[in-house]
Amino acid sequence: MLGDGILKGLAETARNFFGSYVSRDRLTTIQYPEQRDPQIEAARSFPFLVFDGADWQQGLRCVSCQICEKECPPKCIFIEKSKDKKPDAVGKPQFYPVRFDIDISVCMSCQICVEVCPFDAIKMDVDYDLSTDDRFGGLLLDRQRLAKSNEHYNKIHPTEAAAVDAALAEERAKAKAAAEAKASAAAKAATEAKAAAVANPAPAPQPAAGESQ
Amino acid sequence: MTQTLDQIFVLAKHWLLGFLPAAIQPFCSALLSVVAIILVFATLFAITTWLERKGLGRMQNRLGPNRVGPCGLLQPLADGIKSLTKEDIVPAAADHAVHFMAPVLLVAASFLGYAVLPIGRNMVLTNLNAGVLYFFAVGSLMELAVFMAGWSSRSKYSLLGAMRAIAQMISYEVPLVLASIVVILHTGSLSTVAIVDRQAVYTGIWPHWFVFTPWGLAGFVLFMVAATAESNRSPFDLPEGESEIIAGYYIEYSGFKFALFFLGEYIGMFATSAMAITLFLGGWAAPFSFLTWVPSYLWFFAKLLAIISAFIWVRGTLPRLRMDQLMNLAWQFMLPMTLINLLAAGVWQFMPAGVARWPVCAAIVAVPFLLLARGLKQKRKFQLRTYRFSQ
Ligand code: SF4
Ligand code: SF4
């Protein structure tokens, strides 16, 4: 008959209407600011800079190599290199960024900066409620606002961060071993030089030159 | 006591008018009623937007607005403030005067119809003896406003939406009027007050509402379908089809003018619903004789809310029609059915009162309905579409 489809549809919506009052699990709404869905690990929003230790300025892993700045497709990263050097995550003296800005109103969350960074210094964050009433300044994140601790990184992307940490630890161990070897070699050379100096004090500079080779 | 309660607004008005000199009393009386009507129905508009959002939400297993005020009840207020503070943008190429006039005219036209609607016993602004005619006449003013909006915006979408709206409103005006003619045929009066008075009598406990007769029931259903189309409500909301023409004739409106369109549309919907109540559902009359002690205006608003809920329910259920389906429904189904219904009402009029006229009239309506439904269904054959240019 004409119209029975309409009646069927009306019955369906009525069932939904009353059902939503009877059974709570019909309602899929999440009351957003108070309730949130658990974050999945692969979630990503905008990049942030990882730092180790307690002091973000000292611990920044970024060495200001500017690869990410060049690779970023919409060109929303701006880096200014430092004149002096500070030890990086592994302990080697490196440049550091005196300015590192990301305009997240331009960033398209492509993660390319993360892919290209050779120092595991930039990673993707998961924050999404970033609305602000200042659409220029509020969305241009500077060094300080971008810096987040390694613990934060471990919390939001545990698996990935663990792998990064392991690799870094290995490198640090290598660097440490190298430094130790160097130090012991230096110490040995020093003692040898001393011994030589004691043996024949007259031509002192010769063993010193040999040590440097 | 119940008498006073029923007439409380009428008495209050008379008491207030008593303080004024006799010369300006008629004018002030009208003014008071107009202000009351505007306030009451604007409030009803606010309540309806809340009801609609809540109801639609629940039908889709959502919560609906629940942030502003308890249960989101203050949401309409927040919406109003928002639309008041929004920037009012007028397209550079628009015809400014007409662009400004259109929403104002729409709201004014939608309010005009209330002049003849009896909201309660003795509660009608003017008892025109051509009330129903007047109602439909001012109702078609809305079409003018809609076309003004579409034309003056200088936008393709606006114009398309306005064309659709005009085509739809004019097509459905015919069945709308024809569906209500049966009542006029029966009562022999165009006055809304007389129509309600004829229905406010009881046999035993049962009222004499026209919806309880075969032609009345058919007329009511047809009237409601046509009223839905007339007020551009889903499933007949093609003029504003968001997915095709974005918002139709009011796409170039923003801020408070946009809100005015909304207001006008809802007020128009209330007016046609109130007309349906007046014509078929006994106006302010109680549904049972033992309930007549409840004030008449409460019955009127209860019925109005019931019809509004039905509108919301239908909106939550049905998808939008296509333009050709819309036109086919109007001219191939609604128009013949209203004419047949007219015949049934005529037969009812001339048959002697008794049980015999019930089955006869019911058959006059039902048999053509079934035949028409079958015919329309069979006609719907699908065939491979051929293209003239793209092959
Ligand atoms: S995520 Fe993509 S767009 Fe955003 S800063 Fe990194 S490279 Fe640029
Ligand atoms: S974030 Fe990485 S790629 Fe970008 S400048 Fe720093 S170290 Fe280089």
Side-chain angles (χ1 to χ4, degrees):
Chain A
M1 207 185 82
L2 195 69
D4 52 353
I6 293 177
L7 293 182
K8 232 183 276 169
L10 286 175
E12 183 60 37
T13 38
R15 196 159 43 239
N16 273 311
F17 181 81
F18 292 112
S20 71
Y21 284 99
V22 179
S23 77
R24 280 251 135 219
D25 36 294
R26 262 175 181 275
L27 298 171
T28 51
T29 309
I30 287 167
Q31 298 284 308
Y32 158 62
E34 295 94 35
Q35 282 174 18
R36 279 150 198 261
D37 253 348
Q39 201 96 51
I40 55 167
E41 223 191 304
R44 71 179 196 222
S45 59
F46 295 109
F48 72 99
L49 294 175
V50 191
F51 69 86
D52 297 299
D55 181 11
W56 67 269
Q57 239 160 335
Q58 276 308 309
L60 271 189
R61 286 182 189 170
C62 175
V63 300
S64 201
C65 70
Q66 292 177 317
I67 296 176
C68 55
E69 187 184 24
K70 290 186 190 99
E71 293 285 338
C72 171
K75 296 272 171 282
C76 65
I77 304 181
F78 176 79
I79 300 172
E80 205 175 292
K81 211 174 196 163
S82 64
K83 298 274 178 319
D84 55 333
K85 293 190 173 185
K86 77 164 179 63
D88 72 348
V90 187
K92 233 162 69 184
Q94 292 270 25
F95 293 110
Y96 61 93
V98 282
R99 238 180 106 186
F100 196 117
D101 294 340
I102 296 182
D103 190 346
I104 58 165
S105 65
V106 175
C107 173
M108 59 186 191
S109 308
C110 64
Q111 208 178 350
I112 285 177
C113 49
V114 176
E115 302 297 339
V116 297
C117 178
F119 296 89
D120 285 315
I122 191 164
K123 296 289 170 199
M124 293 309 270
D125 208 347
V126 291
D127 257 3
Y128 49 85
D129 33 11
L130 296 161
S131 62
T132 162
D133 45 15
D134 174 10
R135 68 178 159 140
F136 301 112
L139 294 174
L140 184 68
L141 303 188
D142 60 4
R143 218 160 46 124
Q144 183 166 9
R145 285 180 67 189
L146 284 171
K148 299 216 171 133
S149 67
N150 193 24
E151 285 73 58
H152 173 74
Y153 179 38
N154 267 294
K155 208 169 82 195
I156 56 175
H157 302 303
T159 339
E160 197 186 300
V164 168
D165 275 357
L168 264 180
E170 202 176 301
E171 253 175 71
R172 271 193 204 117
K174 234 192 261 166
K176 206 172 149 202
E180 262 167 19
K182 210 166 137 189
S184 65
K188 218 164 98 195
T191 46
E192 264 170 23
K194 218 183 245 169
V198 169
N200 50 343
Q206 244 175 2
E211 182 201 344
S212 69
Q213 274 160 10
Chain B
M1 178 61 208
T2 54
Q3 267 291 319
T4 351
L5 213 56
D6 191 23
Q7 296 298 305
I8 188 151
F9 295 114
V10 182
L11 294 174
K13 191 170 104 175
H14 280 302
W15 177 74
L16 275 177
L17 288 177
F19 293 106
L20 295 170
I24 58 166
Q25 265 189 16
F27 173 73
C28 288
S29 154
L31 199 69
L32 263 179
S33 308
V34 168
V35 168
I37 284 177
I38 289 180
L39 283 184
V40 165
F41 283 94
T43 319
L44 189 66
F45 161 66
I47 296 170
T48 306
T49 52
W50 175 81
L51 262 184
E52 180 144 33
R53 293 176 65 175
K54 273 292 201 198
L56 285 181
R58 286 293 175 167
M59 280 172 206
Q60 296 156 5
N61 289 325
R62 291 185 289 110
L63 288 168
N66 62 350
R67 293 282 157 160
V68 197
C71 295
L73 257 172
L74 295 182
Q75 187 67 42
L77 200 70
D79 288 344
I81 292 171
K82 185 195 84 174
S83 57
L84 263 178
T85 52
K86 263 182 154 177
E87 188 185 355
D88 177 27
I89 301 167
V90 182
D95 185 336
H96 288 247
V98 182
H99 191 265
F100 173 77
M101 285 285 293
V104 179
L105 181 67
L106 185 82
V107 173
S110 56
F111 267 114
L112 276 179
Y114 290 90
V116 292
L117 289 173
I119 292 165
R121 192 180 277 118
N122 302 330
M123 284 165 75
V124 62
L125 195 55
T126 50
N127 181 8
L128 275 186
N129 55 8
V132 181
L133 193 64
Y134 164 83
F135 182 87
F136 290 121
V138 296
S140 37
L141 255 185
M142 286 177 76
E143 281 150 44
L144 189 63
V146 163
F147 198 69
M148 277 165 69
W151 183 257
S152 66
S153 300
R154 268 269 190 133
S155 150
K156 293 181 199 71
Y157 290 123
S158 292
L159 196 57
L160 274 175
M163 305 275 258
R164 280 185 177 192
I166 297 300
Q168 170 177 338
M169 284 168 139
I170 291 179
S171 307
Y172 278 89
E173 204 137 274
V174 179
L176 188 74
V177 175
L178 281 177
S180 50
I181 276 183
V182 289
V183 175
I184 299 160
L185 187 75
H186 184 74
T187 49
S189 167
L190 275 166
S191 152
T192 45
V193 176
I195 289 172
V196 175
D197 282 341
R198 275 290 290 275
Q199 298 178 78
V201 285
Y202 299 88
T203 313
I205 61 164
W206 305 106
H208 282 202
W209 296 1
F210 293 141
V211 75
F212 297 133
T213 56
W215 51 269
L217 182 63
F220 175 65
V221 173
L222 290 167
F223 188 94
M224 283 325 290
V225 173
T228 320
E230 194 60 16
S231 48
N232 295 340
R233 293 274 309 179
S234 170
F236 304 109
D237 55 351
L238 289 102
E240 58 202 74
E242 298 91 348
S243 45
E244 313 128 41
I245 49 172
I246 318 181
Y249 51 87
Y250 49 65
I251 181 178
E252 298 295 356
Y253 284 90
S254 58
F256 202 64
K257 286 189 202 154
F258 184 79
L260 279 183
F261 270 105
F262 241 65
L263 176 72
E265 221 148 72
Y266 274 84
I267 296 293
M269 181 187 105
F270 299 155
T272 30
S273 312
M275 201 58 194
I277 293 170
T278 307
L279 292 174
F280 299 101
L281 295 181
W284 42 259
F288 300 107
S289 62
F290 53 83
L291 282 176
T292 42
W293 55 270
V294 179
S296 53
Y297 45 85
L298 287 188
W299 282 123
F300 177 82
F301 282 105
K303 288 173 194 175
L304 193 54
L305 277 177
I307 289 196
I308 289 169
S309 316
F311 269 129
I312 295 171
W313 188 10
V314 168
R315 177 171 172 193
T317 307
L318 300 180
R320 187 178 301 134
L321 261 63
R322 223 170 42 217
M323 198 66 201
D324 61 322
Q325 292 169 332
L326 180 91
M327 286 299 159
N328 283 352
L329 185 70
W331 297 107
Q332 297 188 348
F333 179 75
M334 299 284 288
L335 189 64
M337 278 314 293
T338 44
L339 289 174
I340 288 161
N341 195 33
L342 205 57
L343 180 74
V347 170
W348 177 279
Q349 210 58 24
F350 288 108
M351 275 180 78
V355 221
R357 64 181 183 175
W358 282 81
V360 172
C361 284
I364 291 179
V365 178
V367 172
F369 170 72
L370 291 174
L371 289 178
L372 201 60
R374 241 191 39 209
L376 285 180
K377 249 189 188 163
Q378 269 171 358
K379 232 184 64 186
R380 216 190 302 144
K381 280 202 201 89
F382 296 104
Q383 55 193 12
L384 208 62
R385 178 177 282 192
T386 51
Y387 297 92
R388 279 196 300 151
F389 300 114
S390 68
Q391 271 165 357

